[in-house]
Amino acid sequence: MKTVRSKRTLGAVTPEDFVKLEQLRRMQAIALWLLVAMAVVFAVSFGLQGRFVWAGYVRAASEGGMVGAIADWFAVTALFRRPLGLPIPHTNLIAGKKDEIGEGLGSFIEENFLADEVVHERLSTISGARISGTWLQEPVNAKKVTGFAAQAGIAGLTVLSDADVQDLLESLIREHVIDPPWSSTIGRVTEQLLEAGHHHALIDIVADHAEQWLVTHPESFNALVSSRMPSWVPSIANRFIDDRAHKEVVKFVRAVRDNEQHPFREAANRFLHDLTHDLQSKPQLQEQVEQFKEEIFDSPRIRTIVESTWNSARASLTAMLEDEHSELRARMTRAVTDFGRRLLDDPTLQYKIDVWVMTAVEHLVHTYRHDLAQVVTETVYRWDASEAAEKIELQVGKDLQFIRINGTVVGSIAGVTIYTIATLIHTLVG
């Protein structure tokens, strides 16, 4: 449905448009009153030219001014509409030639603004990396970038469907964690740890904590030993056995902790080496590990783990992104500032980024130059013919009114000049 607009507003919608419309109307009024003034002067001088010589010159000047004003009014008006509504040929040019204007404008932009040499010359004179580095180093700008990234992150978290994310995480965990065989991987990793000697530190930690627990909780250990004794053993014997066993166990744990050559360490070392070999070579043990894995990570349990992990991660991440003073946003701001500083201090990085941007932009412009120009052409195609004429008149109409004013002045000069020359010739001949 065609939008109905008042011809008096020329489609003005923004405050800037109405300012231009007011300036256009003011210049139109000046040109019109100048024409009216010429007509009044002509009428008066025409009546006086038989009595006063100078009146003839004034009449000629005013007559030429009227002719010039009317001719230029016709020329200016013919660009945008039909003068006086008359179907005069070659008028209403912009509306009639709208599509041709769009094609010409698109072609002009393609050949003059998007040409390869123009784009290359322009890009080679600026360093986007240096400009970006200077801009990013300002704390206010770095916070703006962080804020924009935070809002984008929040929007992404809001738009994402929980079910879709959970399905994706579940499929990824199953594909990359659950489905691949564990036994061989565990065997290889354990073998590497053993070769690096990391199991000694683990034995030290276990022995140290075991000693601390035994010393701190002797009653728990004694109760464990007593529970294994027959009921007919006297209580005094139980206490003796408990104390003796506790002392021997503490002594054993301390010996394991303090003696790197303790037989237990050697036995543990042999056991771990045998276990790593069996995990990589014995099918029965491998099958047991895989069954144990499946029992732990059955499908409902994976879904619960994924759901809990995603909900916690999303809630925490959203809260940190929303809080302007959170540690995450502070780190993001520092990272942006540091990146800006590096852009300024590292010429090699500047050069790489500038070359990359130049290459990418030149490739995009070269590849899609016609498509970019076609956007202008198609936009003009979609305009209503009268709307296009109004848009252009609103933008340039004020300046075109000077043509009418200049036509009035030039016409006056031409009129009085022609009259003077003709009078002079007539006088000389006569």
Side-chain angles (χ1 to χ4, degrees):
M1 181 177 180
K2 183 177 178 179
T3 303
V4 179
R5 300 182 309 275
S6 172
K7 291 293 184 181
R8 293 178 299 175
T9 63
L10 298 179
V13 291
T14 66
E16 293 77 8
D17 288 342
F18 282 101
V19 170
K20 292 180 179 179
L21 179 63
E22 182 181 356
Q23 294 173 345
L24 170 60
R25 297 310 185 205
R26 186 182 303 115
M27 294 305 300
Q28 286 177 331
I30 292 174
L32 176 61
W33 282 110
L34 191 57
L35 173 60
V36 171
M38 287 294 172
V40 171
V41 172
F42 173 78
V44 174
S45 60
F46 185 82
L48 297 176
Q49 64 180 347
R51 299 169 54 188
F52 304 100
V53 176
W54 57 265
Y57 292 93
V58 174
R59 180 197 61 78
S62 59
E63 184 177 15
M66 285 193 301
V67 172
I70 294 173
D72 287 338
W73 165 82
F74 181 90
V76 171
T77 304
L79 289 173
F80 307 106
R81 62 185 62 85
R82 298 189 183 279
L84 301 177
L86 301 175
I88 303 173
H90 303 294
T91 59
N92 196 25
L93 296 178
I94 292 179
K97 300 290 185 179
K98 173 182 67 70
D99 293 345
E100 290 84 344
I101 293 174
E103 292 177 358
L105 185 59
S107 177
F108 178 79
I109 292 175
E110 180 178 356
E111 296 175 2
N112 294 276
F113 290 94
L114 300 179
D116 292 340
E117 59 275 9
V118 175
V119 175
H120 178 79
E121 181 180 359
R122 179 56 181 168
L123 292 176
S124 62
T125 59
I126 60 176
S127 174
R130 176 173 291 276
I131 295 173
S132 300
T134 303
W135 190 82
L136 291 174
Q137 274 208 302
E138 295 294 331
V140 175
N141 297 331
K143 288 183 178 179
K144 287 181 181 178
V145 174
T146 300
F148 175 78
Q151 293 301 320
I154 294 172
L157 292 173
T158 304
V159 171
L160 288 176
S161 169
D162 290 344
D164 293 339
V165 174
Q166 290 167 12
D167 290 342
L168 176 62
L169 292 177
E170 183 177 353
S171 64
L172 290 175
I173 291 175
R174 178 162 292 281
E175 179 182 356
H176 298 287
V177 178
I178 307 302
D179 290 343
W182 281 19
S183 53
S184 299
T185 303
I186 294 175
R188 289 194 300 271
V189 173
T190 306
E191 185 177 18
Q192 293 174 359
L193 293 176
L194 293 175
E195 292 176 355
H198 295 305
H199 63 294
H200 296 302
L202 179 61
I203 293 176
D204 292 339
I205 294 174
V206 172
D208 186 59
H209 282 74
E211 181 198 7
Q212 293 180 14
W213 185 87
L214 289 169
V215 173
T216 307
H217 305 90
E219 67 283 353
S220 299
F221 177 83
N222 293 339
L224 178 64
V225 175
S226 298
S227 66
R228 309 299 298 176
M229 298 296 295
S231 59
W232 51 264
V233 176
S235 59
I236 187 171
N238 278 341
R239 288 195 297 273
F240 175 78
I241 294 172
D242 291 342
D243 292 341
R244 184 65 181 176
H246 181 265
K247 291 179 181 178
E248 290 298 326
V249 171
V250 171
K251 181 179 178 182
F252 172 79
V253 170
R254 286 174 177 170
V256 171
R257 182 195 63 186
D258 297 335
N259 184 7
E260 295 183 356
Q261 305 299 326
H262 195 278
F264 177 81
R265 287 179 178 265
E266 296 295 333
N269 189 46
R270 288 194 300 272
F271 169 78
L272 291 174
H273 277 90
D274 292 342
L275 179 62
T276 57
H277 179 268
D278 293 343
L279 285 171
Q280 298 179 72
S281 60
K282 289 189 175 182
Q284 183 178 1
L285 179 59
Q286 292 175 349
E287 183 178 354
Q288 291 175 348
V289 172
E290 297 305 315
Q291 289 178 351
F292 176 73
K293 175 190 68 177
E294 292 295 337
E295 290 176 0
I296 294 177
F297 297 103
D298 55 17
S299 295
R301 194 168 301 170
I302 292 178
R303 166 62 63 169
T304 302
I305 293 172
V306 169
E307 182 177 357
S308 175
T309 302
W310 167 246
N311 290 336
S312 300
R314 186 182 64 171
S316 300
L317 188 58
T318 301
M320 289 187 290
L321 290 175
E322 290 178 343
D323 184 6
E324 295 183 359
H325 306 288
S326 66
E327 180 64 20
L328 175 60
R329 291 188 60 161
R331 288 178 178 272
M332 291 171 63
T333 302
R334 287 197 295 270
V336 171
T337 305
D338 292 342
F339 180 68
R341 184 180 301 109
R342 187 181 175 191
L343 283 178
L344 287 178
D345 298 340
D346 191 342
T348 303
L349 180 61
Q350 285 182 24
Y351 176 77
K352 289 181 179 180
I353 292 179
D354 288 338
V355 170
W356 181 84
V357 170
M358 179 182 295
T359 303
V361 172
E362 288 182 349
H363 173 73
L364 291 174
V365 172
H366 179 77
T367 305
Y368 301 103
R369 176 170 52 219
H370 181 71
D371 295 328
L372 293 172
Q374 195 67 20
V375 171
V376 177
T377 302
E378 292 178 355
T379 300
V380 176
Y381 280 170
R382 289 193 297 269
W383 283 354
D384 177 73
S386 59
E387 179 184 358
E390 290 179 6
K391 287 179 179 292
I392 297 175
E393 183 178 7
L394 182 63
Q395 299 300 319
V396 302
K398 183 192 74 170
D399 297 323
L400 292 179
Q401 300 310 308
F402 284 103
I403 295 177
R404 296 174 58 187
I405 296 172
N406 292 338
T408 305
V409 175
V410 172
S412 298
I413 296 174
V416 72
T417 301
I418 293 172
Y419 181 80
T420 301
I421 295 174
T423 302
L424 181 59
I425 294 175
H426 179 74
T427 301
L428 292 176
V429 172

